Amino acid sequence: MDDDGHGTHVSGIAASNGNIKGVAPESNLISVKALDSSGSGHVSDVVKGVEYCVNNSDKYNVSVISMSIGGS
């Protein structure tokens, strides 16, 4: 679940395929949630998310990982 809407926004820029086209409209997406609803979490959780994508790259045909992470 995208608690904040930012991931949904970024996904739309990448893969929209309606009246408005994204930069890769024929792409397929998977999402991996690594941070909580306030955007907080541990680096280890982000690492686990990346590892999940790498370990399942053949299963889901993962060729790109895009993350939007801020910090203080």
Side-chain angles (χ1 to χ4, degrees):
M1 178 177 174
D2 182 2
D3 301 305
D4 185 49
H6 182 72
T8 302
H9 173 84
V10 172
S11 297
I13 291 171
S16 293
N17 195 7
N19 292 333
I20 298 173
K21 302 289 185 199
V23 295
E26 300 300 319
S27 64
N28 295 304
L29 304 175
I30 65 168
S31 62
V32 176
K33 186 166 179 60
L35 303 175
D36 67 18
S37 61
S38 67
S40 296
H42 301 280
V43 171
S44 61
D45 295 326
V46 175
V47 169
K48 287 177 188 175
V50 171
E51 288 174 340
Y52 177 85
C53 292
V54 170
N55 292 336
N56 289 283
S57 61
D58 289 336
K59 180 178 182 178
Y60 295 113
N61 192 27
V62 175
S63 57
V64 175
I65 298 172
S66 175
M67 298 184 290
S68 180
I69 300 172
S72 56

